[in-house]
Each structure stands twice: as C-alpha cells, then as structure tokens.
Amino acid sequence: MLAPLPFHPPSFLFLTHTFCIIFCLSLSDLVLLIDGSESVGAANFPLVSDLAVQVIEGLAVGRDAIRVALVLYGADPDIQFYLNSYDNKESVLSAIRGLKYPGTYEANLGTALEEVADSLLGQDAGGRAEEGVPQVLVVISTGESTDDVSQAERALKQASVYTFGIAVGDSATAQLEAIATDKRFVLANLGYLILVRMCRRTKQNSSLPPPLALAVGKRDIIFLVDSSMGTIVINAVREFIKRFIDTMPIGPDQMQVGVAMFSTTPRMEINLNSFSSKESLSSALARIKPKSSVEVNIGAALDFVRANMLTAESGSRIQDQVPQLVLLLTSKKSKDSVQQPADMKNLLQPEIYFCYGKINIHVDMTTSKCRTIVDVTTVHTQRVVRDIVFLVDGSNYVGNNLQPVLDFITEVVNKLDVRPERVRIGLMQFAERQRTEFYLNTYNTKQDVLSAIARLRLMGGRALNTGAALQYALANHFQPSAGSRRREGIQQVLVLITGGPSQDEVKKIADSVALAGVLTFAVGAGQVEDRFLRTVAFVENLAYYRRNFADLSSVVDEIMTPLVTVVGETDTSVTGELKHLLIKKKKFVTPSPSGGERDVAFLIDGSDDVRSDFPYIRDFISKVIEPLDIGFDKVRVSVVQHSERPTPNFYLNTYRTKDEVLRAVSGLTLAGGRSLNTGVALTFMKNTILSPANGGRAGQNVPQFMIVLTGGRSRDSVREPAVALKTEGVVPFGVGVKNADPKQIEAISHNPSFAFNVKEFSQLSTVQERLKNYVNLPDQELKVFLEEGINKRDIVFLLDGSDDSKNGLLAIREFIRRMAEDLDIDQDIVRVAVIQYSEDALTHFLLNTYSSKKAVIYSINGLTAKGGRNLNTGAALQYVRDNVFTAASGSRHQLGVPQLLIVMTGGGSIDDVAGPAEDLKNIGVLSIAIGIKNAVEAELQSIAFSPRFLFNLPAFGELLNIQPDILSFIKSKMGIEPPTIIGKNSNTWHFPQIQTFSFDFGVVDKLNIGPSRDRVSVVQYSREPQVHFYLNTHATNQDILNSIESLKHQGGSPLNTGRALDYTKKNIFIASSGSRILEGAPQVLVSGDDVRTISQSLRENNIKVITIGTSNSDTLEQISHCIYCVSIELLFKYCCLSFMEIFFVLFIVGQTLDAGRNIVFLIDGSDDASDRFTAIREFVASLAETFDVGKEKDQIAVVQFSNTAAISFNLSTYSSTSEVADAVRNLKPKGGRPQYIGQALQFVRDNIFTPSVRSQQIGRVSQNLVLVAGGRSRDSPRGPANALKSMGVAIFAIGSRLTDPIEMEAISSKTDYAIAVSDFHDLKNLRTGFKRDIAFLVDGSDSTRRGFPEIRDFLYNIITNLNVGINNDRISIIQYSNVPVANFYLNSFLRKEDVLNAVKVLSHKGGRPLNTGSALLYVKENIFISASGSRHKEGIPQILILLTSGKSRDSISEAASALKESGVLIYGIGGKYSDSYELHTVSSENKVLSLADFSELPKIQTQLLEAMKAIPSYNKKEFIGKCNNASAQ
C-alpha cells in the first residue's frame, strides 16, 4: 500500500504545464502505462488515475493531433484502449476516469513494456511511426518492477520511443530513470502532489500550501515565439504562458513577463513593464496570433530582443542583477545566422533556452540558477541519395561494448532519410569470417532498419580478418541483386566500425574497394590503431578514432556532413610490363555547388508535320550545345523525338565527348508520326531519360535542363507531367513554333519567361542564343536566375479615403506597413502601389514610383485621409484598371507577373461595382475584398476573386488579425504565372464540380472509349462556344480524362445556350468531327446548363440530350426533349443520384429512340430476399425517378419473381414519374422459394414484351430489362435471356454475393452490364467499374533470367488491359529471389502510362536461392498496407499474382495463410520447375495456372484477365475476406 508520503517542495512548475510543453507543440502517439499493482492500493488508485487525467487535460488530443492509448499493468498488462480507439479528448478522459483497480500482487513492468513495443505502436493499433510522428510513452509507477525491464527498455530506445516517467514515491524513481530516454525525463517525488489532492478531497489539512504557490525570486522572462508554427501550436503556447503566469508571482518587484513574436521579422507583443498584474497580463495574451511563413530569422529575433526588450526602458532589471531569461520556442531552422545574436553573454549574460522542433522544456524556477532540463532538436535532412553499408566488428574486441556501437549506428541512421529512393542501409558483421545481417534492399523504412539494428548480436571470435570482410562487402553487398544502385551512379558508402587489429592484408583490398567507387569511412575505438583506420579509409580525413567505445557518440556530428556530401573519385595509372593497377590518388569532392556540370535533354517534335523543317531543328540543337563544355563529368546531352510516343536518339550517358554528340545530332533523322502526345513524352523524360540508370545526375545535385521544342498542339495534357518534372527540380524551357499552343508551351516551362514562341522554324536562331546563355550560367548566377520570378508580384492597395473611414486610417496604415515590411519589395521582385478614393480616385504612389522597401514604408507612414462624403467604388476600380495596372505605371502584367488588388472599403458605393470588377478579372487581376463596418456584402462578393478572398470585418482594428492570412496567400507559390481568372457568371463556382462529375462520378470511366466504340467531345460556352476536343480527338479513356482535368473555366457573359447548341449541331455532330450519325450511332448531348432553347433541328437529327442544370436555370421539366434532367445542386451537394443510377442512365441513353424507353424491373421477391427487399425497392424507386414517365415518353413496369413470376404493375399502368415511384415504394415482397430466373425471364418475354409492345420498338421505343437477383437460379436462364436479347431487349443484371457471376454475365447484354454487390443495402452507394489493388510477385532469381523478357511482356499486356488510375486499378511489382525488392508500390504510379513505362524498363533482379515464404510475408507487411497505396480498409479487393519457376527454400504455408486471412486473393502461376504442391498451398482455391515454360504466358493472359474482372469491387470491408471463396473464376 502507498503510505502517506513526506512533504517535498516540488521542483517542477506543475505537472500539467510540463506535459503540455512536452507534447502540445507537435503531433505524437502517446501511450500511458499505469501501475495497477497492490503497491498502489485501492484508496490511492483514483489519485494515480487523476495524474493521468492531468497529463491528458493539457494536450491537443485528436486523430490528426495527439493520439492516446492506455495500459494498466500488474501481473500481466491489460490494454484499456488503443491509439485509434478514441478521436477526442473527452472520450479519452472518460475512459481514464472509468478505470478499475486491478490490485494484483505482482508489478511486471518489463512484460508491460514489451507489450507496448509489440502491440501498441504498430499501424494496426493506430501508430504513426512510419509517418514520422513521435512515439511517446509515459510510465506512472509507484515502485520497482517485479520482473526484468532491461530488454524491453533497450527495444523501446532502439525504436526511438521517447519514454517519460512519473514516480509516485521514492522507490520508483531509480528504475524509471533507467527506463526513461533521459533521466531528466522523470518527474519524481509526487507524493506531495498526491497528498495535497487527497487532502482537498477530504477537505482536511486546509493549511497545506497549494502546489501553485511557489517561492520564486525576481526574474525577467521573455517568451520569444515563432509565429509560423500554426494555429494549434500557437494556441497551446498561449495556454502554457497563461498557466505559467497563474503559477508565478507577477509584479514589478517579483516576476516580469514579456512576449515577442517572430517569423522573418520580429515584433514585440508584450513588454516586461507593460502589465503589473496577472489579470492584465493574461488578457493581453490574446494578442498572440499565428502568422504563416515558410522561413524564420532567429538571429534577427534574438537581436531584436537584445536591442529592444532587455533594456531599462522596456522594464528589464538587468542593471539590478535580476536574472534575465529568454525562452525561444521555434519549429524551424533559422534562415539567418544565430551565432552572433545568441552570443549576448559578453554584454547581458541572459539565460537562453532553445526549444526547437518537438519542444520539450522544464524550467525549475525555485532554484537560484535556472536550468534547461531537456533539449530536443529536430534534424532537417537534405535531399541525400546514397547506399550505405555498415561493417561491424563482431569479435571479442568489441565484446561488452556492443551497446555504444549500436547507439552510434542508430544515431547516424536516425539522421538519414531512409527509403528505397533515397538512402538505403545494409548491415554486416565480421570476425574471422563474415555474416550478413541485412542487405540494402531488405528493408524499406527507417523503422524496420532501426529494429533490425537493435536485434544485432555479436557473432564472437578472437581474431579479425578485416581485409576479407571488405572483400566480402564489395562482392555481396555492393551488387544490384542486393539493392546497390552503383550502376545508376548513386554513391556507395561503407562505414567500418572496429575495435582491434586485422590479421590479414587490408591495404590492397581497401584500395580495390575505393577503385570500385565505394567511399569507405573507418571508425574505431579500443585496441585498433588510428594509423590502421587511416589506411582503410578512402582518404585519411574519413578516419575517426576514439579511445573508448563510450565516446563513439561524439563521432556522429563529425561524420554526418561528409557521410551525406562527399563523392569519391579515383585516378589510376598503368605502369610496368605487368600493368599493375595502382591507386595514384584518391580525392573527394562535394557535389554542391557543382563546377559547371549540367544534364541537358532535348525533347523535340518528331511528327510528320515538321518533316520539311527538320534541318532547322537539327541546326537549333547544334547551336545551343556548341558553346557547352560537353564531357562525361561536365555537360551531358540527350535527344529524344516524340509524336504519339517518345523515341530516344541517345541518352545522357551514350556519348562522352562533344564531337560524338555533334556527330549524332547532325545525323538525326525524323522519327515520324501523325500527332503529338507531349504529356506522355514529358513523363518518359522524367522517369527514363533523366534517371540515374540513363546518366541522370540529380542525386549528385547536378542541374538538369530540358528543352522542349514542338511545332503543334499536344493531344494530351502537358500540365501535370510538367509539374512533376519541376517538382523533381528539372528546369524546362518551352519553344513553340507554327501551330504550337502558347498556353501549353507556357505550362511546360519553368515559368513564362522560360517560354518562347516563334512563327517559323527559320526564326529559331532568335531563341537559341538566349537558351545557351541560360544553360551556361555559372552556378550561383543560375540559382539566382531560377529563383527570380517565383516571388514577383504587382500589388495595388485601393483604400477607402472617405470621411466615414477617417477614424480607421491608423489601422489601415499599420496594415499596409506590416504588409510592406514582410514583402520583398524591389523593382525586380515585389512592386507596390497605393490609391485612395471617395467620390474620385487619388494616386498616392504607383508601382514604379519607388524601388526600395524603405522608400515605400516612408511613404506609407505619411499617408493622410483623402476625405469625401460618398464612395464611387466602381469608378475607383475602373481607374485602377485603366491607370495603375498598365505598363506605363509599372505593371508587369505582360511579363506574366501576378497582379493583385487589395480593396479596403468601409461603406456602400453609389455607383455600379459589378461591371468594373468583372473587367479587372478579365484582364487577369486577382482581387481581395476587405469590408469594414458598413461595407455592402453584395459589392464585396462582386469584387472578390472568390469567397476565399472576401473578408467582412466589424471594425478597422480587426485588420491586423487577418493580415497574416492575406500575406500568406500573397507569398504562396504562384510561380510567375498569373492565376486563372474566371468570369463571374452563374456557373463559375460549379465548374470544378462539372470536372468532378467526369472523374469522381466516373462517367468517362464507365464508357468504352475507342474509334469503333464510344466517342466523346467537350465544348464549353458562355457568350461564344469553345471546342476543347472533338469526337475523333481522343481514342482512350485516359486521354479524355487528362484533357478534362486540364480544362480551365472560360468565363464571360451572357450565356448564349441557343448559339452553343446550334454550334454543337453544326460543328460536332458531323462526320468530319468524328460523328457517326450517318452510320446510325446514337448521338448524345450532355449539357451543363439550361437547354430550354433546344431547336426542332436537334430532334430532327435524333440527338438525345441529358441536361444538368443549376438553381439559376429555367425549370428543366419544361425542356421537351430532355430525357434526363437534374439540378446540379442536388447532384453535387446532396449526391441524390447513386453511381449505379448514372451508370444505367448513360447506358440506356444509347438505346433511346424518339418515343422514349420501356424499362422493366424484374426483381427478386422471394423469401430469401425478404430482409433485403426494402433496399431493392428504394433503389428501383430512386432510379425510376430519373426517368421522364409519360404516355409518349418513358414507361416502367415491375415484375417480381421467386418460384413463379407476377406483374406488380405494367408498362401502361402509370403515366407520371411520381406515380411510378410511389407504387414502387408501396410494393410488398411476393414471397416463395426457390428462385427460377429462367422462368421469370420467359414470363417477361411472354407477358410484358408482347408483340404489340415490340411493334413500338421499330424506330421509336427502346426496350430495357433490369434484373435484380439475390441468389442462384434453380433453372437455366440462358435460353430465355438470349431470346429477349434477340428481340432487341437490353438486359442489365445486378447480383449479390449469393448469385453466380457467370450466370449474371450470361443473362446481361454485355459483360459491363453485369454488376455484383456484396449487399443490396449497398445499391445506393455502388460504384460501377472495377477497382482492385493488384500486386505482381515475380520470381527474379537467376533461374528466370532467360525467361524474364517474356515475363515483362506478360506484365505489360496484362496491365494494358486493366483500368489503371487513382480511383481504379492500382498496380505494384515486386521481384524476389533470396530477398524481395519492390520495383514500385501501389501508389508509386497512378496513371497507366507511368506504370507501363516502368514495366518497359524493368530489369531482372537476379540472385539465389528462392525464398518465396519471406517474399509473401514482405508483400503482406510492405505492399498491402495503406502507406503503400493499398485500399484494403475501403473494401477494395486485394489481389496477388505470383509468378514463380522454382521450389522455395523457406516455408511458405504460414505466410500464405496470413495473406489469405487478411483478405488477399492469390493467383499462382507456376513455370517449368515450380512445385505443384507449393503452388496450390500458396494460391487461393482454384486459382492455380501451370505452364511448361514462361513462353506460354500469352496463352493464359485472357483467362487471368477474365478471372480478375469477375471479382466485384465490394464496398464492405468485412466482405473482402470472402473473396477467397468467390465462385468467380
């Protein structure tokens, strides 16, 4: 039992404060581990749980903030809730307050710690370690553990878990200090706190001092707060300071508090002498506001505090020897130097506490000298691409010193960006022999690497063969099969860690390792000699020796910079007759800044259209590269032609001299082709041409340029591939000639100033001079040049200067001054103008009046009110358009610099505002509207570019609160390209939704696009129509989606729908534009607005119209020829139509003739479907509501079936849509069993589609049948279904998980018309089309080397036939032999073209033996997880296709079972030498395909595709597990 504890003055501020600072300022996963053993006692357990409540109450708990889990421990750990159990603080606190006392005899803390490491921090339990979220454990203990804690303690530390301890009673303190990450992370002597709380509860001992009453001497404390840390963090900081103030004695003779905020510039919020009481000081804390900024200047902020706040004038008592404390709270690395400002001790001697990154501080105010308890820093890693192998001495020379070695490796790895595309890590150890722990491609995440390092155990041995170990590392680890990227030009690094001398030859082998391009670092301690380390290291500078292993941690900071920047090079010479290879010189260089190295890639038009002009293109390339210093270690050049697809002429690493490159250019011949797909070619350039495998040196920080030259418009979208290139750091130049689209050229280019357009190829000489100058710029000038323009802005302030706003002038002036302070004002960067207005406008200064920030601010400070009684806002806007946003006044609109207008007004205008505001938008000005006091909301809406840029404030004083938000937007990355300006007509805000209709609703995906199948065109209109693409422009679904995605709103008014319809009829629905109207193909028009003016000529041409109107459209029901009408507000805001409904409407449209449709719903009314009948009924009713029911329009019938069929109502029963819907909703299930679908289909044929009904079909009415079945048919439905189809009836079949999917396909008119759902309750949410996550696990061992081209072709052909996309099929490919390696993950490529390009360049992995079991386990743990793009949590089918040609050396049964249990459907494809039993064990039931040879793969291609297509895209997560037993083959 916990006895009453003696009084100990607390040496902490307060428990809540401390933990608020520990956790509030960052995301974290927090596990509370609470002692529930007998040593606590039932009476004291509520007090212990109250401590947990105190910890949580100060935290920002939430799914996207701090997650909390809790475990009680005694004899065994008892998990109360996981990290993903609760999403809010209230639920967590409620669960803690409801804890029950276990009261077990034992307190096995070691077992509990192991449970935390194994079960609480994983992804399934809600852990986010893989996302970089800190893992935190807080142990609340009342005594020593009754079991061993050392092993669990080490595991937690190696896993980078921050462990804190709260010791209740003295006996727990020592052990908690050993467990904690740092012994200063333990809060001890909490007996006093519990005693006080106990007394409070019993209302006894009221004389005891409360824990807040601390005896603290005089202090001047300044909180220096980074304002860019975001709203949540700033709120936490504000709350912390407030609680701190409540804790401390505040006053002129006690403690004084000041607050300063900073980002790029500092500002004083509260001075030391501003307030003398707690109340006034706490109230003033409301001034602390977040302020967005990408960068911070800590040096300037410290200097500001020194010069402005640590002075007598500001209240500092430094001259009276009062301690001065500055608490710096920041989350970013400083842009400026902090060394000189921080070194204030020569003058002032303040204590400065740096709280950086994940802020953790605890300051003891009761001591005479303040101290920092915890310093935690966040490492900011640069873009490093390396392969690093650690070679560890496993002999007795290290022995008991293993832990310092592991700590050293762990610290180094923690500072690296470990992932397959950046830094890869390998580990081996050695003594007399060698042993691999893991290869470079064994683990893909830092956490996995660290866990494997923590598991290292020394192999032992009395002697060292270091030379043999170096040779082993070179032969086994720095190889492609082990994950080495040496052939791709990635720097190879070996880190030797040893403690003793070698007994074999080392120097020659070390030299051979260096000659192989491996950079060796040598780290040693103990009995190894420093001289030996210098011999092994690549150069002597890379050798590090410490006398004791415990001092290895001091090497970390010293080694990190060269480890990530040094590049190894060797010079060799051949001497003597034996031609011994000697190392003449080793040298190392850092890749940045580069010395004139460049990768220059040309992407040129190779289509037939430029055939006659191709000599000009050749000459252009020659002239651009002629002055370049071409060489393998200097400038590398590549040339690629493109038309429908890219064709490389030569790669970056093909030629080594300028002469070779120039000869290759002069010998270029046209590749040819009919059209241009520049977007595809740009992706090819990024993934293939500029990759390390083909000579790209981005990983070595070599600048990469791409020059795109084209003479025509691209058929596909260029914007997204161009953005991807720029994101990777490539600098594209666009050159457009003749028919090239200037907008596309601009989108491709780094910014508009990098885009060039000329009329003829003969004029290319005007471009080549500028290009070669840009490419040849020195590094520093190049950096400035590339950054130039990114932050360029022309900003005009239009201010209300009327009499009514005079009182607000000070706030307006301060607002503008602060904006100017934070902007990079310069004539070449940001230009500013200020205009006032009332009845008329008055220029204060123009965009080109001042060229420096100082002059602008000086002028702003002199701003006085213009005066005037009325406001003519419209005239002022027109004045700004005509007189300020002009070249003469300094506007750079013509150069593509963003134009911004900030309007501040305090009242209503007496003139029209909408017209001038629209004119400003039409010339590309982005307007921000700020209304104050009496401003009119409607006028502000007219002015603002969008609602996001409208602010309506109650008082002028509020301006300063929104200034950070506006500044953040202005400084956000717009590039130099002006924003897309859209007209303020009624459709402006719906335009993104119209695009969404094509993507998220999957309309285009549901069509079968192709020249002989469905064709699509898009026309946009307002005043005039504009064609985006014709019916014969695109031949694939993806091309259409790309083009729709790149659409921009046309804008303009008025809306001339009649003209647009007439234009569409005359220009789109004609043969030359791809229409097949003369061939009888159905013609469908989907209109995005009111089509009331449809003319008789559309009817005469048999063009069917689907209209989607807005609330501003005229009543859609009045449109006589509209077969499908719906409000866009309902469609998008309320999502009233299911995906299934849209699917049916679009397909049935294809069957529509003049007099409408006959639609018969044949629904399962059997006893087996009775519990699902309500869902079926609602689905039919909602679908029926989308049709236009009437005598000469659509007619609907419903038939129920079970063992017999019965008509619920016939086609002619109801004459309106509402009558049909009401009748359906009143249906009762027919009853009966079993289901005879064949008999029901025959019934429909004989009783519904009678001869009199069928006679209507000829040229007038389409016949449609929708079957909804809940189980297998007891009779054959094929004959009756075929009879219906032969009559021209289009049949759609919807089946549940109990139906036979093959039967459904046989019934339906087309395979696509057969739909499967897991549950009829999902009908409303059903997404048609296929969604699957498909992983190919490919045998990449040495035995498949010859057959690998066939495997690659098979993969390519399979994927070509899949519907790949972010919302469709996702693909991953993994190769394996002795170890698995992912070629790409499910989320690596989300476009089919990118996946196919990756498959094209797939290279054979190699290696032996074949470990299929470990490969299957790898797939489960690394591929079918959310982080890798798996959508298993959404219920998307998970499919694994295994291609293997041998017997596994390891066990496969356990891994295969684990995959199947997690819901993965496995197809096994076995080659000649595969083991049949093994293949059947791995595969799901009836999912095995065996081949005599991989050359037979094409024979099973169709079979595999059909089998996969039969797998429905179920929405219910629990239904995934049933995929293994699905009957679909």
Side-chain angles (χ1 to χ4, degrees), residues 20 369 420 510 751 817 900 1034 1180 1190 1267 1440 1453:
C20 182
K369 185 71 172 176
N751 65 49
R817 188 194 66 77
L900 294 100
H1034 298 305
V1180 174
L1267 168 68
L1440 175 65
S1453 56

Side-chain angles (χ1 to χ4, degrees), residues 138 223 519 582 652 918 1079 1104 1152 1216 1283 1304 1472:
V138 175
F223 292 90
L519 192 66
L582 303 174
L652 291 167
E918 186 74 22
E1079 303 167 31
K1104 305 297 176 283
T1152 304
S1216 72
M1304 292 292 102
K1472 185 175 182 180

Side-chain angles (χ1 to χ4, degrees), residues 743-774:
K743 288 185 178 179
Q744 288 187 340
I745 297 299
E746 194 170 293
I748 291 169
S749 304
H750 181 71
N751 65 49
S753 64
F754 286 46
F756 306 92
N757 290 280
V758 293
K759 290 184 178 180
E760 299 294 337
F761 282 94
S762 58
Q763 298 172 337
L764 282 173
S765 57
T766 61
V767 177
Q768 63 201 29
E769 286 298 322
R770 294 175 67 182
L771 281 179
K772 66 187 182 185
N773 288 338
Y774 291 153

Side-chain angles (χ1 to χ4, degrees), residues 218-222 251-258 270-275 304-326 344 347-351:
K218 293 181 180 181
R219 301 281 188 276
D220 289 341
I221 303 177
I222 294 172
D253 297 322
Q254 295 172 307
M255 187 172 291
Q256 296 185 152
V257 173
I270 301 173
N271 234 331
L272 289 167
N273 57 2
S274 296
F275 303 100
F304 175 85
V305 170
R306 178 188 61 79
N308 297 280
M309 300 187 74
L310 296 177
T311 63
E313 294 78 10
S314 296
S316 171
R317 296 167 291 180
I318 192 168
Q319 303 299 331
D320 300 331
Q321 305 302 310
V322 172
Q324 308 288 292
L325 291 89
V326 178
M344 296 190 252
L347 294 173
L348 305 173
Q349 295 184 335
E351 292 286 340

Side-chain angles (χ1 to χ4, degrees), residues 1037-1342:
N1037 294 63
Q1038 194 59 49
D1039 288 344
I1040 291 171
L1041 289 172
N1042 290 342
S1043 188
I1044 292 172
E1045 191 176 12
S1046 65
L1047 283 181
K1048 287 190 175 181
H1049 193 274
Q1050 179 180 335
S1053 60
L1055 206 60
N1056 292 329
T1057 308
R1059 182 183 300 179
L1061 290 167
D1062 188 55
Y1063 176 90
T1064 303
K1065 172 184 173 291
K1066 293 177 179 178
N1067 295 274
I1068 303 299
F1069 291 115
I1070 59 175
S1072 60
S1073 296
S1075 170
R1076 294 161 293 175
I1077 193 167
L1078 299 177
E1079 303 167 31
Q1083 309 288 287
V1084 181
L1085 172 63
V1086 182
S1087 173
D1089 214 302
D1090 175 20
V1091 291
R1092 188 180 174 198
T1093 54
I1094 293 176
S1095 65
Q1096 183 63 31
S1097 61
L1098 279 171
R1099 297 189 186 94
E1100 293 170 355
N1101 282 272
N1102 199 28
I1103 297 172
K1104 305 297 176 283
V1105 181
I1106 300 174
T1107 66
I1108 303 170
T1110 70
S1111 56
N1112 296 325
S1113 303
D1114 288 345
T1115 307
L1116 295 177
E1117 285 78 357
Q1118 298 174 2
I1119 302 167
S1120 60
H1121 197 67
C1122 171
I1123 63 166
Y1124 180 74
C1125 310
V1126 65
S1127 161
I1128 200 168
E1129 280 78 8
L1130 291 175
L1131 181 64
F1132 294 110
K1133 186 174 181 180
Y1134 301 110
C1135 298
C1136 70
L1137 295 178
S1138 73
F1139 298 94
M1140 174 69 89
E1141 290 160 1
I1142 294 170
F1143 171 78
F1144 277 127
V1145 168
L1146 286 176
F1147 273 112
I1148 293 175
V1149 162
Q1151 308 293 328
T1152 304
L1153 300 175
D1154 276 348
R1157 288 152 296 197
N1158 288 334
I1159 303 126
V1160 179
F1161 290 94
L1162 178 58
I1163 62 177
D1164 191 337
S1166 68
D1167 294 339
D1168 293 336
S1170 59
D1171 60 333
R1172 303 180 292 277
F1173 192 77
T1174 302
I1176 296 172
R1177 188 174 60 197
E1178 184 55 35
F1179 167 72
V1180 174
S1182 61
L1183 183 57
E1185 286 174 334
T1186 65
F1187 297 116
D1188 187 14
V1189 177
K1191 187 175 181 181
E1192 299 297 328
K1193 301 174 184 176
D1194 301 328
Q1195 292 191 337
I1196 295 177
V1198 173
V1199 177
Q1200 291 190 55
F1201 75 93
S1202 55
N1203 54 339
T1204 60
I1207 298 173
S1208 297
F1209 57 84
N1210 217 321
L1211 290 167
S1212 57
T1213 305
Y1214 299 112
S1215 58
S1216 72
T1217 303
S1218 60
E1219 288 177 328
V1220 170
D1222 290 342
V1224 171
R1225 290 191 171 97
N1226 288 320
L1227 287 176
K1228 304 296 183 193
K1230 173 184 176 297
R1233 61 162 60 97
Q1235 295 103 319
Y1236 288 94
I1237 298 175
Q1239 184 178 305
L1241 291 169
Q1242 187 65 41
F1243 178 88
V1244 170
R1245 180 183 185 276
D1246 297 339
N1247 294 278
I1248 303 293
F1249 293 120
T1250 60
S1252 61
V1253 170
R1254 293 202 303 272
S1255 66
Q1256 303 174 35
Q1257 181 176 356
I1258 303 172
R1260 300 184 65 232
V1261 178
S1262 69
Q1263 312 296 332
N1264 304 275
L1265 173 65
V1266 180
L1267 168 68
V1268 183
R1272 293 172 181 264
S1273 178
R1274 287 296 181 92
D1275 61 352
S1276 173
R1278 292 175 185 265
N1282 290 335
L1284 281 165
K1285 287 182 249 183
S1286 66
M1287 292 163 46
V1289 178
I1291 305 178
F1292 301 84
I1294 305 172
S1296 74
R1297 59 188 173 87
L1298 300 177
T1299 56
D1300 183 345
I1302 297 177
E1303 189 173 79
M1304 292 292 102
E1305 286 186 12
I1307 293 170
S1308 58
S1309 296
K1310 296 180 181 180
T1311 302
D1312 289 343
Y1313 288 15
I1315 310 298
V1317 293
S1318 61
D1319 191 301
F1320 282 124
H1321 295 286
D1322 291 339
L1323 281 169
K1324 283 291 291 179
N1325 302 317
L1326 182 65
R1327 295 174 182 260
T1328 61
F1330 295 105
K1331 279 188 177 187
R1332 293 152 300 197
D1333 294 337
I1334 304 171
F1336 294 89
L1337 180 58
V1338 179
D1339 182 343
S1341 67
D1342 293 341

Side-chain angles (χ1 to χ4, degrees), residues 1219-1512:
E1219 288 177 328
V1220 170
D1222 290 342
V1224 171
R1225 290 191 171 97
N1226 288 320
L1227 287 176
K1228 304 296 183 193
K1230 173 184 176 297
R1233 61 162 60 97
Q1235 295 103 319
Y1236 288 94
I1237 298 175
Q1239 184 178 305
L1241 291 169
Q1242 187 65 41
F1243 178 88
V1244 170
R1245 180 183 185 276
D1246 297 339
N1247 294 278
I1248 303 293
F1249 293 120
T1250 60
S1252 61
V1253 170
R1254 293 202 303 272
S1255 66
Q1256 303 174 35
Q1257 181 176 356
I1258 303 172
R1260 300 184 65 232
V1261 178
S1262 69
Q1263 312 296 332
N1264 304 275
L1265 173 65
V1266 180
L1267 168 68
V1268 183
R1272 293 172 181 264
S1273 178
R1274 287 296 181 92
D1275 61 352
S1276 173
R1278 292 175 185 265
N1282 290 335
L1284 281 165
K1285 287 182 249 183
S1286 66
M1287 292 163 46
V1289 178
I1291 305 178
F1292 301 84
I1294 305 172
S1296 74
R1297 59 188 173 87
L1298 300 177
T1299 56
D1300 183 345
I1302 297 177
E1303 189 173 79
M1304 292 292 102
E1305 286 186 12
I1307 293 170
S1308 58
S1309 296
K1310 296 180 181 180
T1311 302
D1312 289 343
Y1313 288 15
I1315 310 298
V1317 293
S1318 61
D1319 191 301
F1320 282 124
H1321 295 286
D1322 291 339
L1323 281 169
K1324 283 291 291 179
N1325 302 317
L1326 182 65
R1327 295 174 182 260
T1328 61
F1330 295 105
K1331 279 188 177 187
R1332 293 152 300 197
D1333 294 337
I1334 304 171
F1336 294 89
L1337 180 58
V1338 179
D1339 182 343
S1341 67
D1342 293 341
S1343 63
T1344 62
R1345 190 177 302 279
R1346 287 187 178 180
F1348 195 73
E1350 285 89 355
I1351 294 174
R1352 186 167 52 212
D1353 291 344
F1354 173 74
L1355 295 174
Y1356 188 91
N1357 293 331
I1358 288 287
I1359 294 166
T1360 299
N1361 286 281
L1362 297 175
N1363 191 18
V1364 178
I1366 187 170
N1367 291 316
N1368 299 302
D1369 294 335
R1370 296 185 182 179
I1371 308 295
S1372 171
I1373 293 180
I1374 309 97
Q1375 288 190 65
Y1376 79 102
S1377 52
N1378 53 337
V1379 292
V1381 59
N1383 292 101
F1384 52 88
Y1385 297 89
L1386 291 166
N1387 54 4
S1388 296
F1389 304 112
L1390 299 176
R1391 295 158 64 98
K1392 182 184 286 188
E1393 291 83 350
D1394 296 338
V1395 174
L1396 291 175
N1397 286 335
V1399 173
K1400 280 181 189 175
V1401 299
L1402 210 60
S1403 58
H1404 188 256
K1405 176 185 180 297
R1408 57 164 61 97
L1410 203 63
N1411 290 324
T1412 309
S1414 62
L1416 291 169
L1417 189 61
Y1418 174 87
V1419 169
K1420 179 182 183 295
E1421 295 178 350
N1422 296 276
I1423 304 299
F1424 289 122
I1425 60 174
S1426 300
S1428 297
S1430 169
R1431 296 165 292 178
H1432 62 286
K1433 293 181 179 178
E1434 303 170 32
I1436 303 303
Q1438 310 288 286
I1439 301 172
L1440 175 65
I1441 299 171
L1442 170 68
L1443 287 91
T1444 182
S1445 185
K1447 182 174 173 58
S1448 178
R1449 288 291 185 90
D1450 62 354
S1451 172
I1452 50 91
S1453 56
E1454 188 175 338
S1457 297
L1459 272 169
K1460 294 174 192 174
E1461 287 170 8
S1462 66
V1464 177
L1465 186 67
I1466 307 175
Y1467 288 85
I1469 302 174
K1472 185 175 182 180
Y1473 300 108
S1474 60
D1475 184 283
S1476 177
Y1477 173 77
E1478 197 173 83
L1479 206 58
H1480 281 81
T1481 302
V1482 171
S1483 305
S1484 300
E1485 185 179 354
N1486 300 323
K1487 300 292 185 292
V1488 176
L1489 299 167
S1490 296
L1491 307 170
D1493 191 277
F1494 280 131
S1495 62
E1496 294 183 359
L1497 280 169
K1499 295 179 181 179
I1500 65 165
Q1501 179 179 316
T1502 302
Q1503 185 181 354
L1504 181 62
L1505 281 169
E1506 291 301 321
M1508 284 196 295
K1509 284 186 176 181
I1511 300 168

Side-chain angles (χ1 to χ4, degrees), residues 931-945:
I932 306 131
K933 291 177 66 176
N934 301 316
V936 177
E937 180 80 15
E939 291 179 3
L940 297 175
Q941 289 175 0
S942 297
I943 295 168
F945 172 71

